[in-house]
Amino acid sequence: MNIIERIEHIVAEMPSKPAFISRFGKIAYGDLWDASGKLAAWIDKTQVDNKKPVIVYGHKSPWMPVCFLAAVRSGRAYCPVDSSMPEDRVLQIIDKVGNPLVLSTEPLELENAHLIDELKEIIKNQEIISKDKWISGKDLFYVIFTSGSTGLPKGVKITMDNLEGFTQWSRSLGRELEEEERIFLNQAPLSFDLSVMDIYTGLTSGSTICSIDKELQQDNTEMLDYIKENNVSFWVSTPSFADLAMTAPEFNDRNFPCIKNFFFCGEKLTVSTAKELRRRFPKSGVINTYGPTESTVAVTDVVITDDMLEQKELPIGKTRPGTKIIIIDENGNELPQGKAGEMLIIGDTVSPGYFEDDEKTKAVFGVNDKGERIYKTGDKGFYGKDGQLYISGRIDLQIKFHGYRIELGDIEQNLLAMDMIKGACVVPKKRDGKIQQIAAFLVCEGIEGSFADRKMIRNFLKEKLPEYMVPKKLVFVDSIPMTDNGKIDRKKMEASL
């Protein structure tokens, strides 16, 4: 069974089970299937021969997964656009996709934007679309737009086969739970590929997806109450989001006994975050994963053990079946164990490339002599003696300062080695495009940022790092700011200097 067939099978078995719930409503599997089938028929009639991806605009509405499935059942990919995006970015994406049809769960001032309330009426008398219209195999399933180095978004194309390979593996991760216990947390916006982990792992396993909206995430107490009320068992988020939750002392297994698995992706999981989670949830699994959008969410996993918490850095695990990762130097030569270089992903979940952008595609994608797809990640990593993969930063997070090449992630890891530092982000302070100094934003416990505290931190770093890598500016903050996608907002911190 492919993904759509698998969901169809689950619908037949449990039509009344909630598939997706949020503060904007909920929808059962049977209703999800019925509505998406009728909407798919309407899309096919209105689009005729236009097979371009369908834009789905909104935020955490249960009708967003309806629109996703409707698009692929009509034979077209979908492109999710979150309403939290700036208007200019939304228009850039719509223009790039080139399809005037927009399905919208929220008001959008566009001529061809169809609001869901309108669509509910339109599809009342529609017949459910026939199975022979569905996408399959190498057809595009979705296109997710990410930030581009030129300032313009780039669309990552993911096929049915890519997603099928991912979900076959992702359903095997974590502690197995009974059917009624399987409730996935959806933290990330549905336009961020981390959401694919909870949405499609959830839907293809007959689970319920509990989605928390942006506004709810601004109130930690209310958000945690909502998670608790809905008995979330599979926590899926960035590590930074877990740090935010842990600012509440009551976030522990006594108050949240249903959480059995923590899945992390999207950014680096630190020892300090994992250690605190293991302390608060000693019986729950902490699973670290890694993978860029271009390789369909994640391609490695590892269950974090207490022994690993004694290390300076945590592994990102071993590759999933169908994927291998090799480490290469700047000349493309494969490096041996222990040597750090760029991580090259080879496998069946690697994207066919960027949407209508051959130049960017050719720069980072390729095919080897075995016909396997390859993606150059831009991430720096190495294989440890334990056979596990470790990530040591981004090649593009390297800076050159006073003639020295510096890894900002190296400074961050050494800062986090201090017990009183709970969060750290290091950024360059620039003037007229030139780096003037290195600054570190710190979340601390038990110190106030006095002159003596700053001196102590710098002296500690001087024992670990060369003088030129020790930040001259230390900024003490209550929390590290995050983007809407739940990643550390480095640009915001750099702009504040």
Side-chain angles (χ1 to χ4, degrees):
M1 289 188 290
N2 65 30
I3 290 171
I4 308 176
E5 291 169 336
R6 191 175 182 87
I7 295 172
E8 180 185 36
H9 179 73
I10 289 166
V11 168
E13 287 190 333
M14 50 184 79
S16 61
K17 181 172 182 178
F20 186 98
I21 58 175
S22 74
R23 293 199 303 174
F24 304 121
K26 64 181 178 180
I27 193 163
Y29 273 92
D31 295 331
L32 172 69
W33 189 253
D34 183 71
S36 65
K38 291 178 177 179
L39 182 55
W42 177 82
I43 292 171
D44 195 49
K45 285 178 183 177
T46 57
Q47 294 279 278
V48 193
D49 295 328
N50 183 358
K51 294 294 185 179
K52 289 185 177 180
V54 176
I55 297 285
V56 180
Y57 175 87
H59 181 72
K60 304 298 181 115
S61 164
W63 270 80
M64 290 197 76
V66 170
C67 293
F68 296 169
L69 283 179
V72 297
R73 290 176 71 185
S74 80
R76 295 157 181 84
Y78 68 88
C79 175
V81 179
D82 195 83
S83 57
S84 64
M85 287 185 181
E87 183 179 347
D88 285 352
R89 178 54 60 94
V90 172
L91 295 176
Q92 285 174 344
I93 292 172
I94 292 173
D95 182 62
K96 182 76 173 179
V97 170
N99 189 342
L101 177 63
V102 177
L103 307 181
S104 177
T105 67
E106 296 183 32
L108 182 63
E109 296 299 321
L110 279 177
E111 183 179 348
N112 291 297
H114 294 270
L115 271 171
I116 289 306
D117 288 344
E118 170 197 351
L119 293 173
K120 287 178 183 177
E121 291 299 317
I122 290 175
I123 66 175
K124 275 184 178 179
N125 299 317
Q126 291 284 340
E127 296 291 328
I128 291 178
I129 198 163
S130 63
K131 190 172 183 175
D132 60 6
K133 295 281 188 177
W134 297 357
I135 68 163
S136 62
K138 297 186 183 303
D139 294 336
L140 292 189
F141 198 99
Y142 64 77
V143 179
I144 282 184
F145 278 80
T146 64
S147 298
S149 58
T150 62
L152 296 175
K154 55 186 179 183
V156 180
K157 300 188 295 186
I158 298 298
T159 68
M160 165 77 93
D161 284 345
N162 290 155
L163 188 58
E164 180 67 29
F166 169 73
T167 55
Q168 284 180 0
W169 168 70
S170 67
R171 288 193 299 270
S172 70
L173 301 179
R175 190 165 302 171
E176 191 171 348
L177 302 177
E178 296 297 322
E179 179 191 307
E180 64 275 8
E181 296 179 301
R182 296 199 300 262
I183 301 173
F184 280 78
L185 175 69
N186 164 240
Q187 168 255 321
L190 302 185
S191 58
F192 182 34
D193 85 315
L194 176 57
S195 69
V196 173
M197 179 176 282
D198 42 80
I199 296 294
Y200 288 105
T201 307
L203 290 180
T204 59
S205 62
S207 305
T208 298
I209 297 131
C210 174
S211 183
I212 50 175
D213 56 87
K214 183 180 178 182
E215 185 177 343
L216 183 58
Q217 293 182 39
Q218 306 307 311
D219 187 327
N220 208 29
T221 300
E222 189 176 358
M223 178 190 74
L224 290 176
D225 285 345
Y226 187 79
I227 290 170
K228 185 176 181 180
E229 288 166 11
N230 286 287
N231 298 314
V232 165
S233 54
F234 286 82
W235 177 287
V236 183
S237 80
T238 59
S240 294
F241 187 77
D243 288 333
L244 179 65
M246 287 192 291
T247 59
E250 65 271 19
F251 186 60
N252 54 49
D253 62 352
R254 293 187 302 280
N255 297 310
F256 294 82
C258 286
I259 301 179
K260 300 297 194 299
N261 295 291
F262 288 90
F263 293 102
F264 293 114
C265 198
E267 62 182 7
K268 194 169 185 176
L269 176 64
T270 64
V271 171
S272 57
T273 295
K275 187 175 288 187
E276 183 62 13
L277 267 178
R278 292 285 298 147
R279 186 183 73 81
R280 296 188 187 207
F281 294 86
K283 296 179 181 178
S284 300
V286 176
I287 299 99
N288 194 21
T289 70
Y290 161 81
T293 308
E294 288 85 349
S295 62
T296 317
V297 190
V299 291
T300 73
D301 75 291
V302 60
V303 177
I304 301 300
T305 65
D306 289 338
D307 288 344
M308 292 175 184
L309 299 179
E310 301 304 314
Q311 302 173 180
K312 183 179 175 182
E313 294 188 24
L314 296 175
I316 57 173
K318 296 182 179 180
T319 54
R320 58 171 286 279
T323 295
K324 59 183 175 182
I325 294 178
I326 62 172
I327 311 299
I328 60 171
D329 63 17
E330 57 188 13
N331 297 315
N333 301 311
E334 186 170 352
L335 294 170
Q337 182 187 81
K339 292 287 186 180
E342 184 174 10
M343 299 168 67
L344 196 73
I345 299 177
I346 304 168
D348 58 9
T349 60
V350 171
S351 161
Y354 297 119
F355 185 76
E356 295 190 353
D357 198 330
D358 291 341
E359 186 178 346
K360 283 190 174 68
T361 297
K362 288 176 183 176
V364 293
F365 288 98
V367 179
N368 65 15
D369 54 9
K370 296 180 181 178
E372 300 168 314
R373 290 202 57 75
I374 300 171
Y375 173 64
K376 293 181 67 177
T377 66
D379 290 326
K380 192 174 182 181
F382 63 93
Y383 280 96
K385 292 179 180 178
D386 54 5
Q388 301 274 1
L389 267 166
Y390 291 79
I391 191 166
S392 51
R394 285 284 301 172
I395 290 175
D396 56 14
L397 276 184
Q398 282 186 347
I399 63 170
K400 201 163 186 180
F401 185 47
H402 294 326
Y404 296 101
R405 194 167 294 280
I406 298 170
E407 289 279 1
L408 299 179
D410 190 3
I411 304 172
E412 291 171 356
Q413 288 305 309
N414 280 282
L415 283 164
L416 290 169
M418 300 184 74
D419 290 339
M420 75 285 295
I421 296 179
K422 304 303 178 184
C425 181
V426 178
V427 297
K429 181 179 180 180
K430 299 176 182 176
R431 181 180 298 169
D432 299 325
K434 186 177 180 181
I435 298 173
Q436 301 295 313
Q437 61 180 206
I438 298 172
F441 287 78
L442 305 173
V443 178
C444 296
E445 188 176 272
I447 62 174
E448 298 177 353
S450 64
F451 175 80
D453 294 334
R454 294 167 190 268
K455 186 177 181 181
M456 172 193 64
I457 292 170
R458 288 196 181 96
N459 285 341
F460 175 85
L461 288 179
K462 286 176 182 177
E463 294 178 1
K464 309 287 184 181
L465 300 169
E467 177 74 28
Y468 62 83
M469 290 181 67
V470 176
K472 290 292 186 289
K473 187 176 182 68
L474 301 180
V475 183
F476 292 82
V477 294
D478 293 331
S479 62
I480 301 293
M482 294 187 292
T483 65
D484 290 337
N485 289 344
K487 292 188 177 185
I488 292 174
D489 196 338
R490 293 179 181 273
K491 289 183 179 178
K492 184 175 182 178
M493 285 180 283
E494 192 174 330
S496 71
L497 293 172

